[in-house]
Amino acid sequence: MTKEEALQLVKENIQNQNLIKHMLASEAIMKALAKKFGKDEKLWGIIGLLHDLDFEKTKDTPEKHGLVTAEMLKDKVDETIIRAIKSHNDLLGVPRETDLEHALASSEQLTGLIVGCALVMPDKKLASVRPETILKKFKDKSFTANVRREIILECEKLDLNLEDFVKLGLEAMQGIAGDLGL
């Protein structure tokens, strides 16, 4: 699947612009991780982009989140993509086993923390956010309370410490700040 085909699926299935931005941010971090570890940047990016493809359809039935996407993608992508997408929703009971699966889960959670940090900056821009700010806010469980810090820490399963992961994620998102409106 090409990025253009993936973006078309996103446009057909997602109306919420903030959700689209989250998916773009996840794609950016996934591509940065793939580059760092010598993995397939296109593949990892597509997974980041498509991971919440069914979110609007399943927001009231979270136990189906990922299953609808799997059905939508079943004849279009490799099973590796489908398994990674399913594994990011703990309610499905698909254990994360591969670097790819841990990368997706930790990346998509990190986007929320980084966006939250940008939104408390006076100019509300990613350019103003520093890794130190994110690390400080990481410790404050009431800040972006819906962000699951324990999943962000799965970066350690990639042999990447939290500080380095935050730096990589922030730089990846800053690289597409215009697309994110931040």
Side-chain angles (χ1 to χ4, degrees), residues 13-136:
N13 290 281
I14 305 296
Q15 304 305 311
N16 182 305
Q17 293 304 303
N18 286 333
L19 180 54
I20 292 172
K21 290 174 184 178
H22 162 70
M23 295 163 79
L24 290 169
S26 298
E27 174 195 24
I29 296 174
M30 288 292 288
K31 286 171 67 175
L33 284 169
K35 183 175 184 174
K36 177 173 182 56
F37 294 116
K39 304 292 184 181
D40 184 337
E41 292 177 52
K42 178 184 169 231
L43 174 71
W44 283 42
I46 295 281
I47 293 168
L49 184 59
L50 294 178
H51 81 280
D52 277 346
L53 189 61
D54 67 7
F55 189 83
E56 290 182 349
K57 291 179 173 79
T58 62
K59 65 184 172 204
D60 296 325
T61 53
E63 69 280 1
K64 293 182 181 176
H65 176 49
L67 296 177
V68 175
T69 296
E71 190 60 31
M72 294 164 67
L73 297 177
K74 73 177 178 182
D75 297 324
K76 296 179 171 123
V77 298
D78 185 83
E79 180 60 32
T80 303
I81 294 174
I82 291 171
R83 180 175 161 70
I85 289 171
K86 285 181 180 177
S87 76
H88 96 278
N89 180 3
D90 290 342
L91 295 176
L92 296 182
V94 177
R96 290 185 281 280
E97 298 171 345
T98 66
D99 287 350
L100 174 63
E101 293 163 0
H102 291 296
L104 175 61
S106 58
S107 295
E108 73 105 13
Q109 289 294 315
L110 182 61
T111 67
L113 185 62
I114 293 173
V115 168
C117 289
L119 294 177
V120 297
M121 293 290 133
D123 63 359
K124 300 192 182 327
K125 298 291 182 192
L126 285 166
S128 298
V129 178
R130 300 287 171 257
E132 300 78 27
T133 304
I134 299 166
L135 291 166
K136 181 179 177 188

Side-chain angles (χ1 to χ4, degrees), residues 1-11 46 49-50:
M1 176 177 288
T2 66
K3 178 173 179 174
E4 292 72 28
E5 291 168 330
L7 278 172
Q8 185 59 39
L9 281 173
V10 170
K11 289 176 187 173
I46 295 281
L49 184 59
L50 294 178

